[in-house]
Amino acid sequence: MRSAAARKKSALATAATALLALAAPLLASTPASAASIATWDKVAQCEASGNWQIINSTGQYFGGLQISMPTWRAYGGTQYADRADHATKQQQILIGEKILAGQGQGAWPNCGPKYNLGADHADPYPNAPTYPAPSSLASGTLVKSPNGPDVRVMIAGAGVPVAGSDVTPDKYDLGKVVVIDPNAFNGLPSAPPAGTVVHDQAGGANRYVIIDGAALPISASDWTEDGYNLRADYGLPTAWLQAAAQRTVSTGRVVMDQTGNDPSRYVVVNGAALHISGAEWTANGYNQQALMGVPTDWLAAAATRQMPNGSIVKEVSGANATVYVMAGGVAVPLTNADFTGFGYDKSPLLGTPGEWLASAAAKAAPANGTMVKSLNDPTVWEIVNGKKRGMAGSEFGAGKRSFDDVVGVGSAFVAKFPTA
C-alpha cells in the first residue's frame, strides 16, 4: 500500500492529467509504455497483496492496482465496470496500461519504481480483442456480448433487451449487431434514464415517459402541455415496452405535475400517489429527495387510485407507532396479535405521509365489495354500503371470488359494521 503522502501526490497528479487523458492517444492497442503480466502481478502484490477485488481502508482506491474512481473514469475503465475492483484482472491491467502511458510509473509512487514498471515494455495482452465502449454507440445500435446470443438495443446509454419476437415487427437488423465487452454488456442498465420519452419501435401513436423502469402513458394533451414533444423520442422493443407499461413507479418516489402548474407534491406508495402536505414536505425530509415530473393525466389518476388491499403502512415520520392494513381504501389499525397472526410482519412496511394516513384511517367504511375477516372468526365478510354480509364457501373458487383477496383485520373493525 502507498503512504498517505504518496497517495496525495498521486491524487494531485491524477487531477492534473485527467482532462488531458481524455484527449491523449491512450486507446492504442499497444501503448508506448507497457509491462508484462508478471510485472503487473508484482505491482498488485505490492499495492493490494495481490487481491484484485480489494478496496483500501479509506475507500478511495480500488482493485489490484489501487486505482481511484476519477482515474478509472478518466482512462476509460467504466467501459468494463463502475469501479476497478468490479472489473477482471485483465481489464484492470488494460486500464493500468493506459495510466502507465499517460502518467508513467509514478502513478504508483512506491510500487511502480520498485518493480521497474516503466522499464518493462512487454505487451501484456498482445492478442486481446478490443471492443467499442457502449458510451460511444448511438441510440438504436444493436449490441451483444461475445459470450452469448442475447441482443440489446442502445437507448440513451441503456441496453434495452430485444426479444426474438421483436426482431421482425421492430425491423431490427441482426446483421448489424456490434459486439462489446462482456462485462460492459452485462453492466448496461436495462431501462432508459428517468424522463426519457419513448414509443413502440414497431409503430403506433402512443407515447410514454420512463420513470424507474415503468412506462407512464402521455396523453395527447400532455404531449404538448407538459413539453414532452420537445424531447428526443426513442423507439423501444415492443415486448419490453409492453411489460414496462404494466409496471409502477417505485415506492418512495416523490413526484409532481410535469407542467409545474400544480404546486402539490406527492409520494408514490404501492402505485398510489399520496399527497404531501406543506408541513410534511420538510418535516419528513421529502424536500431532500429527487423530485420527478410526471404526466399530468397520469398523476391525476394515481392521486385517486386506491392503495392495494393488504398493503401494510405506517406514518413515515414515526410519530404514530400504529401499523395499519389497507382494506378498500381504509387504513385499518392492527394489534400486535393481528400483525403477526396474519403474517403481516413478513410484508414490507410502507411509510406514508401522516396527514394522508390520518385521512385514510378516518374513512367510515371500505369500498363496496371489500372482503375482510378477523383472526379468530372463520367468517369472510363482504362490505356493502357500510354493512357486512357473511359469505358462503360456494362463492369462492374458479371463476368466482378468491380467498387471496380477503384482507385480515382486527375483530373490532369487523364488529363496528351492522350485519346486512
Side-chain angles (χ1 to χ4, degrees):
M1 294 290 182
R2 289 173 281 180
S3 67
R7 290 194 184 281
K8 182 176 181 181
K9 178 180 178 182
S10 178
L12 290 173
T14 297
T17 58
L19 291 177
L20 293 175
L22 297 177
L26 301 180
L27 300 179
S29 59
T30 307
S33 297
S36 65
I37 294 176
T39 300
W40 282 117
D41 279 336
K42 292 176 183 177
V43 173
Q45 185 64 38
C46 175
E47 289 280 349
S49 300
N51 187 341
W52 293 88
Q53 272 66 54
I54 199 172
I55 303 174
N56 87 320
S57 58
T58 67
Q60 295 178 316
Y61 296 89
F62 305 87
L65 304 180
Q66 292 291 274
I67 303 173
S68 70
M69 287 293 292
T71 303
W72 182 253
R73 294 191 189 103
Y75 287 88
T78 52
Q79 68 176 302
Y80 300 128
D82 59 336
R83 296 191 324 230
D85 60 307
H86 291 163
T88 65
K89 171 183 173 179
Q90 177 176 337
Q91 291 163 349
Q92 292 180 51
I93 289 177
L94 289 173
I95 297 303
E97 289 282 299
K98 297 175 184 179
I99 298 170
L100 179 61
Q103 298 185 31
Q105 65 181 10
W108 297 270
N110 294 327
C111 301
K114 180 177 181 179
Y115 293 105
N116 296 316
L117 185 62
D120 184 347
H121 300 299
D123 185 348
Y125 298 105
N127 299 316
T130 57
Y131 301 105
S135 59
S136 69
L137 303 176
S139 289
T141 303
L142 297 175
V143 297
K144 70 179 295 294
S145 162
N147 299 336
D150 293 344
V151 174
R152 298 187 180 189
V153 59
M154 296 300 301
I155 301 292
V160 182
V162 176
S165 59
D166 294 330
V167 174
T168 299
D170 292 2
K171 297 181 173 60
Y172 289 124
D173 185 351
L174 297 184
K176 296 182 178 179
V177 176
V178 176
V179 178
I180 63 174
D181 179 84
N183 279 45
F185 180 83
N186 293 333
L188 287 172
S190 61
T196 304
V197 173
V198 300
H199 63 270
D200 187 340
Q201 175 66 18
N206 293 336
R207 294 296 184 268
Y208 305 83
V209 61
I210 301 297
I211 305 290
D212 297 336
L216 311 187
I218 302 172
S219 68
S221 59
D222 290 340
W223 177 247
T224 52
E225 291 176 11
D226 291 7
Y228 291 117
N229 61 316
L230 301 178
R231 302 185 189 182
D233 182 10
Y234 300 98
L236 290 189
T238 303
W240 189 93
L241 183 56
Q242 289 176 345
Q246 300 303 312
R247 301 185 192 114
T248 187
V249 175
S250 298
T251 288
R253 169 67 79 176
V254 178
V255 298
M256 60 173 283
D257 179 354
Q258 176 62 27
T259 65
N261 295 331
D262 180 0
S264 299
R265 300 293 184 262
Y266 303 82
V267 59
V268 177
V269 179
N270 241 12
L274 313 185
H275 182 262
I276 303 169
S277 70
E280 291 175 310
W281 175 248
T282 52
N284 292 345
Y286 290 118
N287 61 320
Q288 301 298 318
Q289 301 183 37
L291 180 60
M292 181 64 61
V294 294
T296 303
D297 288 349
W298 180 90
L299 181 57
T304 58
R305 188 174 298 139
Q306 181 177 290
M307 193 181 295
N309 287 340
S311 299
I312 307 302
V313 299
K314 183 180 179 181
E315 185 179 337
V316 72
S317 71
N320 179 0
T322 304
V323 175
Y324 301 79
V325 62
M326 297 304 300
V330 178
V332 182
L334 295 169
T335 65
N336 186 63
D338 295 328
F339 184 63
T340 56
F342 284 117
Y344 291 141
D345 55 325
K346 298 178 177 61
S347 300
L349 184 57
L350 309 173
T352 70
E355 291 189 20
W356 178 89
L357 185 56
S359 175
K363 289 183 178 179
N368 286 345
T370 303
M371 297 182 294
V372 298
K373 74 175 297 294
S374 57
L375 194 59
N376 297 316
D377 182 356
T379 305
V380 173
W381 301 93
E382 180 184 31
I383 305 299
V384 180
N385 295 328
K387 296 182 179 182
K388 63 188 179 189
R389 179 186 71 85
M391 301 183 69
S394 59
E395 295 182 67
F396 295 87
K400 302 177 182 180
R401 308 295 289 273
S402 171
F403 284 110
D404 291 339
D405 297 327
V406 177
V407 183
V409 297
S411 57
F413 181 77
V414 175
K416 76 177 187 176
F417 298 106
T419 303

